Amino acid sequence: MTQQYPAELPNKGPRPKEELEDLERIWATPKGFKLLTAVNNTVVGTIYIGAAFLFFVLAGILALVMRTQLAVPDNNFVSQDLYNQLFTVHGTTMMFLFAVPAVEALGVMLLPQMLAARDLPFPRLSAFAIWAYIIGGLVFFSTILYDLAPKGGWFMYPPLTLTEYSPGDNADFWLLGIGFIEISAIAGAIEIIVGVLRTRPPGMTLARMPIFAWAMLIFATMIVFAFPAVILATMLLELERAFGWHFFNATYGGDALLWQHLFWFFGHPEVYIIFLPAAGLVSMIIPTMAQTPLVGYRLIVVALIATGFFSFGLWVHHMFTTGIPGLSLAFFSAASMAVAIPSGIQVFSWIATLAAGKTRIRMTVPSLFIMGFLFIFVLGGLTGVMVAAVPFDFQAHDTYFIVAHLHYVVVGGMVFPLFATFYFWVPLVSRKMLSERLGRWAFWLMFIGFNTAFFPMHITGLAGMPRRVWTYPGYLGWDLLNLISTIGAFTMAAGVLVFIIDLVRNFRFGPGGPENPWNAGTLEFLPNDVYSTRSIPHVTSREPLWDQPNLAQQVREGLHYLPNAPTGGRETIITSVIEAKPQYVIQMPGPSWTQFAAAAFTAACFLLLTVKAVAVALTCGVLAIVSCILWAWQLDRPDQGEVDIGGGIRLPTYMTGSLSHSWWAMVILMLVAASLYISYIFSYLYLWTVSPEIWAPGGSPALPPLTYPLGSALLLICGSVLVHWAKKRLPAAGRLSLSALALLVLAAALLAGAVGLEVLGHLQTGLDPSANAYSAMVYMASVLTGQAAFAVIILCAFACGGLVARRLDRKRCVTFDNAALLYWYTAAQGLCGLVLIHGFPRLIG
Amino acid sequence: MTRMTPNSNRQGIGTLLFILTGPIVWAAHLALIYSSQSSLCSFDPGEGGAGGRDAIAAIILAVTAVGVAAVGSSAFRARSAHGLTARADLPAETITFIVTIMRVLAALSILAMLYAGLGVVFLPACDSLR
């Protein structure tokens, strides 16, 4: 790549001393109990990683209990019922409370540093996601202590998890607890997408973006499209358990396989959601350790994107034994094979980079963990290709071979790179490095322990041992292999223990760690403090620290962009998506209790619903909404005029429309909602193919007269037009527009009326939502549009509040734009629902 | 360095969609072949299923051919396709990067579509394998 230096630096030195003092004051981390209000990415990112690691240890302890139970045949160390809870909580915790949060935490912590941004664009959203996850996760995990833990396995298949076979609240803790944590993951994903696309430093084009940023962009986009499917699944199952709406019960025309489709449409991409960020980390560590630019940067980007896409075409490979036609299996077997190609591209690229830098490689602890990752992950990938072959999968399905395969992929593909990350990036948040000596002990114990534990499971599985059995008789020949696995598990745990000792001895949170100890080429190793970098560099290559030798000094002296705080508050530069050209300066919020209160009350609402404390739960829900409104009210800051960021560039400090970062966030949120609704449409049509005989008019009450859906559609369209008119009637600054206010109120009322009319029409036909799968699906359309309408009405009320307070006008109208966008989306979704619910039965009937 | 206009966002979104042409068509291809095949098989089409099975094979092969052709032609005329979707005039380094990524992704997507689509040549349309 051609190296280009700016003709001259954006700012002249020396900079006034007060600038640095201002930055330190503005970005100071709250102390004591006020730490709960902190939003700095390094602080909340470290808390996030700490919590994820805690869950890793806790779920690991459960694994040790299970391995103890399986060490010898006919063992009674734990009861069968407790064993069921153990493997369910172990799997759920590892997947939902450790793996995804850990990589999302790394995104929150590392991305602003890698992009030399002062923070991600929605710091309070990150903090909300983190506290929601911690509170919800701890409550969920604690259920194992009270015999309240779910027992259906981490994928909670019905009919086992229907009320008939799983009475009590155990399964509800999974459904509401995990469903809620998924929402927190989506919040983090929105933050990451907007952060990567819009807060890169000037000059960091797509072609110069760090691979980890690419990986996190794809990771977060996958969350946007994958998680809604499982959120819908958990909603359906909870509605079936709580209210008897039959989606999965075959007696009433439901189908248990619908759960599998929805779950695995999330569940298989989930594996790559975990793996891709880890692969991104590996692609950052290997070039540094080999002191060589990454070989095949473009191909790695291709591989990340291709893996992200193809992983959505694999979900049925978890369902090869469910009786689906052979040709369908072939589609998904083909996709399973296809995804091996981009994975292979990455592995060969890493090997080529190591080979290119073979004379300079430093075999440090991060290098060891990366080598361990390569060995283990390649083995896991190979067995992945084996189980992608349908005939082999028929034999290996639900045996310990699968347990071995998934642990080789997930532990090899994510846990080993994570430990490499701990050792590699710890100087960003710790004043001391971790110990090389203890790190080597940790690595070798973990590496040997892991392979001792899991390699024999391939053989145990091929010998016929099914997964999830509580115990086994001694005459089947599985006892020695299980004993070896148990010894391996404890050896691996010893490695983790050594790492914890290393943390206790050497990790000291705070800035001031060694500066670029590995001689890395990327921006996160620039001099950092609470405000991230003193100035935001102009980037001219993929490894700026290698190609611009004085960059660290220049940045430290404030000679690049935005070396100060021209608005007097927290801020960073928003740049364009492709070329990273500066567009405006975003004013960012500081510490607050609002996002913490919102997280705590939201968690309380969901968890109290689990134990049927409905009144208290609803109170908490209201308090959560109030907290969110206060949070958003503080966010909406007025325009501060144009500010000079250096290099002769003056940027606005307020932006509306499609250039605004909040417009991007709202569009991504609409993609989440659309993804959820598409999953619903799939479910409706799927159940029709399973049980066409229950569809109206033959098997259920006839549809309401057309006046109902047409009336509902008219209300939706009129409401949308009113919002458009309200936009045109927004007042000048400092004025109040009663017509805009009235139009917004009326539009909100029409939206509520549209949903109400639709429900009323079906009620009048006598359609009972608990009658069968068709009726449940009909009302579910209104539930989904109703919840979107509820959010829109709150946003409209918020905009009305802004109008009354004269904080909303023609120029300062981000809150209105967001309300309008979501309104139009909800109206469109409502219209689609009307066409489906009222049109489809007429079409087929 | 010049400041950006609102058009820059449209260019950004257009460029991202352009890069993803191959995978997006692949996703549409998988959705179409799987939904048509599984729904037609659910209703046991035709007398003895033969007519329906021929229809399934025809649909899958046609969708595959269209998908491969669409991705192939957009990769072949990548710069024109980018101009159409993004209307952006990007620096040489950036456009080379974007077009390369798009073309390799297109090649992988074509391979994946052929891989999935050709299954119909070798396997019965609706029968289970065991």
Side-chain angles (χ1 to χ4, degrees), chain A residues 740-809:
Chain A
L741 190 71
L743 287 168
L744 262 184
V745 170
L746 189 55
L750 292 186
L751 190 58
V755 178
L757 187 62
E758 168 66 359
V759 175
L760 183 68
H762 292 295
L763 286 175
Q764 290 199 337
T765 65
L767 189 70
D768 175 4
S770 58
N772 56 36
Y774 163 76
S775 62
M777 273 293 165
V778 167
Y779 284 101
M780 195 64 206
S782 296
V783 168
L784 293 176
T785 304
Q787 68 177 17
F790 180 66
V792 170
I793 289 166
I794 289 175
L795 285 183
C796 286
F798 187 80
C800 288
L803 276 170
V804 172
R806 291 168 171 75
R807 290 161 53 106
L808 178 59
D809 53 58

Side-chain angles (χ1 to χ4, degrees), chain A residues 208 326 328 579 583 650 658, chain B residues 3 8-9 37 91 93 127:
Chain A
R208 295 171 185 160
S328 302
E579 295 183 86
Q583 292 183 318
R650 292 185 65 77
S658 66
Chain B
R3 223 179 315 137
S8 62
N9 262 8
Q37 180 257 349
E93 178 200 336
D127 297 347

Side-chain angles (χ1 to χ4, degrees), chain A residues 664-734:
Chain A
W664 279 72
M666 184 51 79
V667 168
I668 296 166
L669 183 65
M670 284 155 51
L671 287 175
V672 172
S675 186
L676 184 75
Y677 204 71
I678 289 169
S679 297
Y680 162 75
I681 293 172
F682 164 81
S683 305
Y684 177 97
L685 295 174
Y686 177 83
L687 287 184
W688 169 69
T689 64
V690 173
S691 307
E693 69 281 357
I694 61 169
W695 246 245
S700 293
L703 288 162
L706 275 175
T707 45
Y708 282 95
L710 289 178
S712 187
L714 190 66
L715 293 177
L716 291 172
I717 292 166
C718 289
S720 301
V721 173
L722 293 184
V723 171
H724 180 68
W725 285 350
K727 168 84 177 170
K728 289 185 177 302
R729 281 163 178 72
L730 288 180

Side-chain angles (χ1 to χ4, degrees), chain A residues 412-431:
Chain A
M414 187 268 172
V415 175
F416 274 72
L418 184 69
F419 276 79
T421 297
F422 287 152
Y423 280 89
F424 186 77
W425 274 291
V426 78
L428 266 61
V429 288
S430 169
R431 293 190 293 277

